[in-house]
Amino acid sequence: MTVIADVAGPAGAGSPGAPVQLSEHLWQVAGAGITHPWDAAAYLVLDGDPILVDCGSPLGSAALEAHLERIGVAPGDITAVVGTHGHFDHVGGGAILATAGVPILLHPDDRAAVAAGDPVRTCAGPLYGQAFPPVATSALADGDRITAGRVTLEVLHTPGHTPGSTCVVATVDKQRVLLAADTLFGGFSAAIGSDAAAWEVSLERLAGLDLDALSFGHGVSRLLDDPAGRIAEARLRFATYFDPWFKPPRHTFRY
Ligand SMILES: [Zn+2]
């Protein structure tokens, strides 16, 4: 494994930014300010075989690929993309990586929408005015454990935002890090299969986890401390008024 010391090169106005090293073996490689403004956070765990958790949209794919190469990872070297759910901003770039032979893993309850490029279920059409490049995925299941070097990724099925939403608990650099994607602060819409009752159960499950840090899909590009306190705060805010999490997170969440 090669980690270069300084990847924060110059980024002109409108240019993609640089990947952010969250801890020694954990990087944020996609997201607003990193790849494309619409991209959700995507993560690279790099301790042995490289694995991505989400991969952003096709609009950010070229920047993602450039970032990976700066870190020393060729797209074809990626063992798998662990998709947190089937939305354009999280796995819309999956078809491009799949052409390099990278398996895209997704919970079965979101796989059909992604295989068909369903514009509504993937949010690509209504939210972004884009087409979702269809991609055949492999099944991801609750309880799956993926290991690479000293890193372990545990998959939790956490339906609510979408039927097939998952969270990943990464044990990396002696920390248990929750990669919550849109299970924390994602939008609610019946059109994408959101389910408030299921979501509340999922949040209760997150509250029971033993964690050291967390990150979610549309937040700041660093690991947040006090995960238990932040999850408790999120649960208190959940559904207290219509669509409470559909504002930029910085307005509803303390950093
Ligand atoms: Zn989403």
Side-chain angles (χ1 to χ4, degrees):
M1 181 196 72
T2 302
V3 176
I4 57 178
D6 178 11
V7 295
S15 300
V20 177
Q21 191 165 15
L22 301 174
S23 69
E24 186 178 358
H25 299 95
L26 178 65
W27 298 75
Q28 185 176 335
V29 288
I34 297 176
T35 46
H36 186 276
W38 295 347
D39 281 350
Y43 310 90
L44 170 71
V45 290
L46 184 57
D47 184 9
D49 295 333
I51 299 172
L52 288 176
V53 177
D54 283 342
C55 59
S57 76
L59 303 173
S61 287
L64 171 69
E65 192 169 321
H67 293 340
L68 291 173
E69 288 178 358
R70 291 171 77 180
I71 299 170
V73 175
D77 293 342
I78 296 165
T79 307
V81 175
V82 180
T84 61
H85 61 295
H87 279 172
F88 179 77
D89 50 332
H90 291 260
V91 295
I96 296 169
L97 288 169
T99 63
V102 181
I104 313 298
L105 312 181
L106 205 61
H107 188 276
D109 291 349
D110 279 9
R111 288 178 71 196
V114 164
D118 183 319
V120 174
R121 283 280 176 156
T122 64
C123 282
L127 214 49
Y128 302 106
Q130 300 285 316
F132 187 100
V135 59
T137 58
S138 302
L140 192 65
D142 184 76
D144 280 356
R145 292 171 66 89
I146 301 163
T147 59
R150 290 165 291 181
V151 176
T152 302
L153 304 180
E154 303 168 53
V155 176
L156 287 73
H157 181 210
T158 51
H161 175 59
T162 67
S165 284
T166 60
C167 292
V168 172
V169 176
T171 302
V172 55
D173 301 324
K174 298 178 181 173
Q175 294 189 99
R176 280 173 57 81
V177 179
L178 175 66
L179 305 177
D182 288 356
T183 294
L184 287 180
F185 303 106
F188 181 96
S189 170
I192 60 169
S194 297
D195 181 328
W199 205 338
E200 287 195 67
V201 173
S202 295
L203 292 173
E204 184 175 359
R205 187 176 183 194
L206 296 188
L209 298 174
D210 179 21
L211 300 167
D212 298 303
L214 71 76
S215 177
F216 59 99
H218 301 276
V220 292
S221 298
R222 63 181 173 82
L223 296 181
L224 299 172
D225 62 5
D226 186 23
R230 293 175 193 275
I231 292 168
E233 183 180 338
R235 292 180 74 193
L236 285 172
R237 290 176 179 273
F238 180 71
T240 51
Y241 48 97
F242 180 71
D243 209 4
W245 290 346
F246 216 68
K247 298 174 182 177
R250 64 177 58 86
H251 299 307
T252 59
F253 201 64
R254 67 186 168 85
Y255 296 117

